[in-house]
C-alpha cells in the first residue's frame, strides 16, 4: 500500500458520480476546486459540452484523464450493426486521444436481442476488439476491458470476470488491458490471483472504486459510497498496488436516489474523506 500522506494525489472522479446534479463543465470545475487531480468523463457529456471545450477546460486545470467512458458494445449479430459499433469505437479512440486519456474503457456488450448464445456474444467481443486495436495502437490509446458483474451479462457485458478479460488480453496482444472495478469483481474467488496475473502483464489500466450496498435496490443505479457497503476496499487496493499498479483510484458511483440528489460539493467532500478512511 502506498503512503496515505500522499493525500489525494492519486484520486480521480468518474463524472458519472455527479451526473445527477452537475454537467461536465460544473464537474470539471468542482473537481479542480476540491484539489482532486484526476477525472474520467463520459462520452455523452463530452458531446454535450463539445470535445474541444472539454479538453481545454480539463487541460486548464491540469487534470489527468484517467479514462474515457466508454467504448465497446460489440455484440451486434449483423454485419451492419458490427460496422456501426466499430465506427463509433474508432471515434471514441479519437476522443480519448484528444483528451490525452490514459485508456478507453470498453464495456463488452451483452446478448443480441432475441439471442440465447452467450458463447457467440463472447466470440464477437474478441473479434470487435481485435478489429479496433490497430486504430487504438496507431493513436496510442490503450483499450481497457472492464469486466462487469454477471447480473449484466444479458444486456451490457458478457465479459464478467477478470479471468475472462485476462484471457482475452493474452489473445489480443499489445495495446489492450483491463479496468478493475471493485463493484463488478469483489465477489470473485479468483480475484487476487487474476489481479496478480494482470499486474504481471502490466495491463491494469484503471482501478474503479465504490461500494456494494446490502440490500441493493437497483441493479444499475444504486451503487454505494466507499465504506457504506460490504466490499473490502483496502484489501483489493492492496492487491492491485502489490501487482504493480501505480495509477489512480477512480471513484465511480451511480446513485440515483441518494448521491445524485445531494449537493455536488458534499459528494466530493465525502469521496475524499472516505478515500482516506476506508480505501
Ligand atoms: Zn467502472
Amino acid at each position: 500500500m502506498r503512503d496515505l500522506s500522499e493525500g489525494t494525489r492519486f484520486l480521480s472522479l468518474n463524472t458519472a458520480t455527479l451526473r445527477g446534479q452537475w454537467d461536465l463543465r460544473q464537474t470539471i470545475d468542482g473537481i479542480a476546486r476540491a484539489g482532486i487531480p484526476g477525472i474520467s468523463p463520459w462520452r455523452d457529456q463530452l458531446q454535450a459540452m463539445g470535445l474541444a471545450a472539454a479538453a481545454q477546460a480539463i487541460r486548464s486545470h491540469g487534470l489527468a484523464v484517467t479514462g474515457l467512458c466508454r467504448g465497446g458494445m460489440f455484440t451486434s449479430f449483423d454485419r451492419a450493426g458490427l460496422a456501426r459499433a466499430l465506427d463509433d469505437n474508432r471515434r471514441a479512440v479519437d476522443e480519448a486521444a484528444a483528451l490525452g486519456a490514459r485508456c478507453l474503457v470498453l464495456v463488452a456488450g451483452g446478448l443480441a436481442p432475441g439471442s440465447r448464445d452467450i458463447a457467440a456474444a463472447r466470440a464477437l467481443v474478441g473479434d470487435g476488439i481485435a478489429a479496433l486495436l490497430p486504430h487504438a495502437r496507431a493513436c496510442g490509446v490503450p483499450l481497457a476491458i472492464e469486466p462487469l458483474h454477471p447480473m449484466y451479462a444479458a444486456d451490457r457485458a458478457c465479459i464478467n470476470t477478470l479471468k475472462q478479460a485476462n484471457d482475452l488480453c493474452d489473445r489480443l496482444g499489445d495495446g489492450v488491458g483491463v479496468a478493475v472495478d471493485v463493484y463488478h469483481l469483489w465477489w470473485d474467488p479468483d480475484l487476487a490471483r487474476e489481479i496478480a496475473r494482470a499486474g504481471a502483464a502490466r495491463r491494469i489500466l484503471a482501478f474503479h472504486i465504490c461500494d456494494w450496498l446490502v440490500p441493493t435496490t437497483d441493479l444499475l443505479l444504486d451503487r454505494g459510497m466507499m465504506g457504506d457497503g460490504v466490499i473490502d476496499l483496502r484489501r483489493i487496493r492492496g492487491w492491485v498496488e502489490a501487482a504493480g499498479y501505480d495509477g489512480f483510484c477512480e471513484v465511480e458511483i451511480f446513485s440515483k436516489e441518494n448521491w445524485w440528489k445531494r449537493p455536488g460539493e458534499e459528494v466530493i467532500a465525502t469521496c475524499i474523506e472516505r478515500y482516506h478512511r476506508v480505501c
Side-chain angles (χ1 to χ4, degrees):
M1 289 286 292
R2 286 183 300 213
D3 185 350
L4 290 178
S5 68
E6 65 198 13
T8 56
R9 195 153 73 85
F10 292 99
L11 183 59
S12 174
L13 214 69
N14 185 297
T15 63
T17 306
L18 295 159
R19 181 184 275 282
Q21 54 277 73
W22 281 353
D23 65 19
L24 183 56
R25 184 178 294 281
Q26 291 171 304
T27 304
I28 292 167
D29 291 343
I31 287 173
R33 260 198 320 274
I36 293 176
I39 189 169
S40 180
W42 280 69
R43 292 182 67 208
D44 62 321
Q45 294 180 307
L46 275 184
Q47 270 142 31
M49 183 172 173
L51 177 62
Q56 157 67 22
I58 289 169
R59 251 196 315 273
S60 75
H61 289 300
L63 299 175
V65 179
T66 57
L68 175 63
C69 294
R70 58 178 161 60
M73 298 295 175
F74 291 111
T75 51
S76 170
F77 277 10
D78 64 88
R79 290 225 156 267
L82 203 56
R84 270 197 309 278
L86 255 181
D87 273 357
D88 185 55
N89 275 280
R90 290 194 181 108
R91 277 196 299 279
V93 166
D94 295 339
E95 291 164 16
L99 292 171
R102 295 185 172 203
C103 62
L104 172 65
V105 173
L106 297 182
V107 168
L111 294 169
S115 169
R116 292 185 170 84
D117 193 344
I118 196 164
R122 286 171 174 152
L124 278 173
V125 173
D127 294 348
I129 299 174
L132 179 62
L133 253 176
H135 184 62
R137 285 181 186 135
C139 296
V141 173
L143 302 176
I145 302 169
E146 179 166 9
L148 261 51
H149 190 283
M151 67 182 169
Y152 302 115
D155 61 346
R156 283 176 194 276
C158 56
I159 304 298
N160 307 107
T161 66
L162 191 53
K163 178 179 187 306
Q164 283 178 286
N166 271 324
D167 289 349
L168 253 180
C169 290
D170 281 349
R171 269 187 18 228
L172 292 165
D174 286 347
V176 61
V178 298
V180 174
D181 185 323
V182 298
Y183 193 72
H184 299 301
L185 301 177
W186 68 276
W187 56 273
D188 183 352
D190 294 330
L191 186 57
R193 190 176 66 213
E194 292 297 326
I195 285 174
R197 177 182 166 198
R202 311 290 303 163
R203 65 166 68 117
I204 302 176
L205 300 174
F207 180 51
H208 298 173
I209 54 175
C210 65
D211 215 334
W212 184 281
L213 299 176
V214 179
T216 292
T217 59
D218 185 299
L219 295 187
L220 191 61
L221 302 178
D222 190 31
R223 295 194 189 193
M225 176 64 66
M226 297 83 74
D228 288 347
V230 296
I231 300 178
D232 191 341
L233 287 155
R234 194 158 280 179
R235 181 186 299 256
I236 298 175
R237 182 179 169 188
W239 291 338
V240 167
E241 292 182 1
Y245 177 73
D246 59 2
F248 286 68
C249 292
E250 178 182 318
V251 178
E252 184 184 33
I253 302 173
F254 304 79
S255 173
K256 189 166 171 231
E257 297 303 328
N258 185 359
W259 296 101
W260 284 358
K261 291 189 168 169
R262 302 194 192 205
E265 282 83 3
E266 178 192 339
V267 177
I268 289 178
T270 309
C271 287
I272 292 173
E273 190 263 329
R274 299 296 180 85
Y275 170 70
H276 288 312
R277 192 150 61 77
V278 301
C279 296

